[in-house]
Amino acid sequence: MRLSLLASQVEPHFLFNTLYGVRAYLGVIHSRLPRLAFRVDCADDLRHCAIPPLMLISLVENAVTHGIEPKKGAVEIVVNVARRQSEGQQQLLLTVADDGVGFGGSTGGNTSGSGIGLSNIRERLQHLYGGQASLSLTTRDGGGLQAGIVLPLQALPGKDH
């Protein structure tokens, strides 16, 4: 059972399926917290890219638990998927931005994040992609955080990007 669990954390999913899970999760949270607005932005040509399972939803869950739920009033989460070029390589950039409470209310600058979920994501990225992938957390000037995952742009077998 443990081997099966580990395999399920490594085998890539279609980005489309991952985004569908994120939209469903945010829909459930919105029904519980009607003050939450959310948006998922992803170009159609990126929906067949490979993404390790459970990474993006972990970032969204962190945004809800640590940023959105503790804040009073209207809140928003924006999930964005984009393509970028860096040092001649195509990369997939996944970001989850919230306008929640952030890290202790501080603004500006970078932070490492030390939770178990974030450590797990960093370890998996290192294992799967070596130095070609990363996780970053940045406090937003207007409040809240932006978490970003950068990884090599790869289509799942049989699909073009």
Side-chain angles (χ1 to χ4, degrees):
M1 181 183 278
R2 175 124 172 95
L3 182 59
S4 181
L5 174 64
L6 290 173
S8 73
Q9 291 183 348
V10 174
E11 293 176 12
H13 287 187
F14 282 116
L15 179 57
F16 175 79
N17 293 341
T18 298
L19 291 174
Y20 182 79
V22 167
R23 284 183 182 110
Y25 173 75
L26 286 171
V28 168
I29 297 302
H30 174 71
S31 67
R32 190 171 61 90
L33 294 172
R35 60 193 175 88
L36 170 66
F38 65 91
R39 188 174 78 239
V40 177
D41 298 327
C42 179
D44 288 339
D45 66 329
L46 298 177
R47 293 178 184 251
H48 294 290
C49 290
I51 179 174
L54 305 176
M55 286 189 188
L56 189 60
I57 193 73
S58 293
L59 296 182
V60 173
E61 288 173 340
N62 274 352
V64 169
T65 303
H66 302 293
I68 297 303
E69 286 182 338
K71 184 177 178 182
K72 297 196 183 307
V75 288
E76 181 180 41
I77 293 178
V78 177
V79 177
N80 188 41
V81 180
R83 175 193 317 254
R84 78 176 195 183
Q85 181 103 1
S86 178
E87 300 179 13
Q89 292 201 338
Q90 293 282 317
Q91 296 177 322
L92 190 64
L93 175 60
L94 310 162
T95 59
V96 177
D98 70 70
D99 62 356
V101 297
F103 279 118
S106 65
T107 59
N110 290 322
T111 185
S112 63
S114 58
I116 293 171
L118 297 176
S119 295
N120 179 278
I121 290 173
R122 284 190 180 96
E123 287 180 35
R124 290 178 55 212
L125 287 172
Q126 179 63 34
H127 175 75
L128 294 169
Y129 303 104
Q132 296 181 343
S134 63
L135 168 66
S136 64
L137 296 176
T138 307
T139 56
R140 300 176 68 210
D141 289 337
L145 289 175
Q146 177 170 301
I149 294 176
V150 176
L151 39 105
L153 183 68
Q154 300 172 338
L156 282 172
K159 296 290 180 182
D160 295 323
H161 57 274

